[in-house]
Amino acid sequence: MIDEADAHTEAPDIKGRRAIITGGTTGIGRAIAVLLASYGVKVFICGRTPEHLDDALQRIREVGEGDGINVDLSMAEDVDRFFEAARDFLGEIDIAVINAAVPAAALADAGESEARYQLETDFTAYLVCAQEAARCMSAGSDIIMIGSMTAVSRGPGSSIYVAAKSGIQGFVQSFRKELAEQDIKVGLIEPGFTGADFQYPEFPPEKQKDLIGKHQMLRAEDIAVAAHFMLVQPRRTAVSLIRVETRLDHP
């Protein structure tokens, strides 16, 4: 006879937890915010565009509780403003999803100011937000970094993005060990080819819908499910890396 209590691992309930999600107004961040809110997590998001923030908060509030703010995380003062507003709304922070990013092209094709902005957003802001989140957290907390399979494929035409995501990949491995004794878990999710406005204009909405239907593109919600999986593991378990790829290669 199977002892079901022994056959299944502990799955902590995330209801009542408090989460920040950077870049939570569109794409993967929005999907994560909506999913966590639906499980009873109180969420606070940020993004750069007011209309995207309004749209995301409307959806979040249909399933749960949330608020947010417009900021540009490439600027240090906006990082401070985001965390101050998040603490005012949430009180404590015990989940941080570091996700906000901008598209970045080949270094040879970018001007210096453009390259600096992309690196400030896609790499420096990741580290600074992770640092600030850790300072706010107590035992039993989780930090999830959203990286990219670009760090693995390292194809041409996106060398700035490859540099940022490869840096995050290495950072998470070290940062996880630094926080382990404090019972703050750090995990990395590396999505493959995922549908979002991030893919415009090369892949407009109808093209994305077609590729998703052909199993050649992921939905943002597929990445949200991976984030939820990380959060419902026993504290002894560190799911340190999840790579989510399409079953079929995209064209």
Side-chain angles (χ1 to χ4, degrees):
M1 183 175 179
I2 297 174
D3 181 352
E4 291 193 4
D6 188 58
H8 297 276
T9 192
E10 173 193 1
D13 188 358
I14 60 173
K15 184 177 180 179
R17 296 188 66 182
R18 294 148 295 186
I20 58 167
I21 300 102
T22 70
T25 60
T26 62
I28 290 170
R30 182 184 189 273
I32 292 172
V34 171
L35 184 64
L36 294 187
S38 75
Y39 278 100
V41 177
K42 188 176 181 180
V43 303
F44 192 84
I45 64 175
C46 70
R48 295 178 298 166
T49 309
E51 55 267 31
H52 288 159
L53 176 64
D54 292 342
D55 176 74
L57 289 177
Q58 180 180 349
R59 177 63 181 135
I60 287 166
R61 289 165 180 166
E62 289 174 355
V63 298
E65 185 177 4
D67 204 351
I69 189 174
N70 286 123
V71 293
D72 184 340
L73 296 176
S74 71
M75 299 188 292
E77 59 268 28
D78 271 22
V79 174
D80 293 340
R81 193 159 62 89
F82 171 61
F83 276 91
E84 181 179 355
R87 285 190 292 266
D88 286 345
F89 179 69
L90 298 174
E92 302 292 329
I93 297 169
D94 56 25
I95 297 171
V97 181
I98 313 300
N99 164 76
V102 296
L107 183 62
D109 298 333
E112 182 180 347
S113 61
E114 182 184 12
R116 287 184 180 276
Y117 178 76
Q118 291 168 354
L119 285 169
E120 286 287 342
T121 304
D122 292 351
F123 183 67
T124 304
Y126 266 68
L127 271 61
V128 172
C129 287
Q131 178 189 48
E132 186 62 30
R135 287 173 174 168
C136 299
M137 290 175 161
S138 56
S141 298
D142 295 85
I143 298 173
I144 297 175
M145 311 285 277
I146 307 299
S148 172
M149 284 295 295
T150 303
V152 179
S153 59
R154 301 185 178 183
S158 56
S159 50
I160 297 174
Y161 201 65
V162 169
K165 297 305 182 181
S166 297
I168 291 166
Q169 192 180 77
F171 164 74
V172 168
Q173 292 176 15
S174 179
F175 196 50
R176 179 175 70 85
K177 297 172 185 176
E178 291 172 355
L179 297 184
E181 291 297 328
Q182 300 176 43
D183 189 12
I184 299 175
K185 296 200 286 190
V186 183
L188 173 64
I189 299 175
E190 293 185 331
F193 187 44
T194 306
D197 59 351
F198 200 93
Q199 303 289 357
Y200 300 162
E202 185 177 358
F203 297 94
E206 286 306 311
K207 181 63 174 176
Q208 291 190 26
K209 183 178 180 180
D210 179 60
L211 290 171
I212 289 169
K214 293 177 178 177
H215 300 182
Q216 294 175 317
M217 175 180 266
L218 301 168
R219 297 179 69 222
E221 288 77 8
D222 300 331
I223 313 307
V225 169
H228 177 262
F229 177 79
M230 275 190 170
L231 293 171
V232 295
Q233 302 306 309
R235 294 311 300 177
R236 65 179 175 273
T237 303
V239 180
S240 56
L241 173 63
I242 297 178
R243 287 179 176 151
V244 186
E245 304 177 63
T246 54
R247 181 174 55 83
L248 300 175
D249 290 339
H250 66 84

